[in-house]
Amino acid sequence: MASRVIALDGPAGSGKSTTARVVAEKLGFGHIDSGALYRALTLAALDANLPDQADRIVGLARTLPVRLALTGVGYRPEVAGVDVSAAIRETRVTERVSAVAALPPVREWVNAELRGAAAEHPAGVVIDGRDIGTVVFPEATVKIFLTASGEERARRRSREVELDASEAGVRRVRAELDRRDTADSTRAVAPLSAAPDAIVLDGTSLSFLEQVDAVVRLARKTIGSHA
Ligand code: DC
């Protein structure tokens, strides 16, 4: 693995990915968004009209291939060499991704890809997801579980995707987050949960920059100020 791994887990809408990206910039690390790989795989399966058959989805991922490519500026999700950063945020992908991510062979494939991608980075990586500190990198240098109230997460997600930020709009986003949290937390394999040795950070009353600073401080404390 990369010499240093910062695992940032938490539920949808906690701001993990945007936080992880800025923390990585500040530390000179790479940022890996593990959800992006599940999404890219889901997109490929949808476009190939594949049912939720794990072996066929993994076969497709290998042949296309689906991957996170290390570029000069970070890791980019690709399907058959095409950048799918925008396409993986489509609603049809969001609606399907939890079901695809619940398939054990899919998770094994993703985990191997994530470990390979992290090993490619010369400095270290900040990697965000649901099971990074528990399953993918149980030996991570720093483990943080980032959370926030359901209401606050729905507001943040509404702003992020520039959806209707009215009360009714936020309620709709919250229902979608709750549905995915329940699916991700109750699945049999690698459910969303904080590792016993993770530091739990509740960002409900923190601004984005305060949240970033809190993670950077925790990371620096553990890996040394020269990181
Ligand atoms: O972080 P995200 O919302 O883009 O992730 C999309 C889905 O992928 C999420 O609903 C659950 C799944 N996922 C997972 O099961 N394990 C991870 N480490 C990352 C994401």
Side-chain angles (χ1 to χ4, degrees):
M1 74 174 198
S3 52
R4 286 172 289 204
V5 173
I6 296 173
L8 194 59
D9 288 304
S14 55
K16 294 182 308 286
S17 285
T18 36
T19 300
R21 182 166 46 74
V22 179
V23 169
E25 269 165 33
K26 286 183 183 272
L27 297 175
F29 282 15
H31 166 221
I32 299 180
D33 173 356
S34 63
L37 194 52
Y38 284 103
R39 286 172 177 273
L41 194 53
T42 304
L43 174 73
L46 281 168
D47 286 348
N49 257 323
L50 273 190
D52 286 350
Q53 255 176 36
D55 293 345
R56 291 182 64 190
I57 295 178
V58 170
L60 183 73
R62 291 211 168 96
T63 47
L64 280 170
V66 176
R67 58 194 287 259
L68 289 177
L70 180 56
T71 67
V73 288
Y75 292 86
R76 183 174 63 203
E78 286 183 357
V79 173
V82 176
D83 178 0
V84 292
S85 307
I88 60 171
R89 304 290 158 196
E90 289 172 13
T91 308
R92 65 191 178 110
V93 175
T94 303
E95 282 173 357
R96 189 72 177 276
V97 63
S98 286
V100 172
L103 302 169
V106 164
R107 301 200 70 83
E108 273 165 39
W109 178 83
V110 166
N111 294 348
E113 287 293 309
L114 295 174
R115 293 180 188 121
E120 274 184 67
H121 201 284
V125 291
V126 181
I127 169 161
D128 73 89
R130 305 292 192 290
D131 64 339
I132 305 305
T134 50
V135 175
V136 189
F137 288 106
E139 72 288 20
T141 325
V142 187
K143 297 181 188 179
I144 297 167
F145 192 84
L146 187 61
T147 184
S149 71
E151 178 72 20
E152 178 59 20
R153 291 190 287 115
R155 286 193 189 289
R156 289 180 187 178
R157 182 50 61 90
S158 303
R159 279 198 298 268
E160 194 181 293
V161 292
E162 291 175 5
L163 280 174
D164 166 15
S166 68
E167 283 307 310
V170 171
R171 266 202 306 280
R172 267 197 303 279
V173 172
R174 178 150 187 201
E176 156 63 23
L177 290 184
D178 286 348
R179 185 188 65 74
R180 274 208 292 147
D181 283 353
T182 305
D184 296 340
S185 309
T186 55
R187 65 173 175 236
V189 182
L192 166 68
S193 70
D197 54 345
I199 300 157
V200 178
L201 182 65
D202 186 339
T204 307
S205 55
L206 299 181
S207 70
F208 177 66
L209 287 178
E210 286 168 341
Q211 184 161 296
V212 166
D213 280 350
V215 175
V216 168
R217 260 201 312 277
L218 289 170
R220 287 218 165 107
K221 208 163 93 187
T222 314
I223 60 184
S225 54
H226 54 282

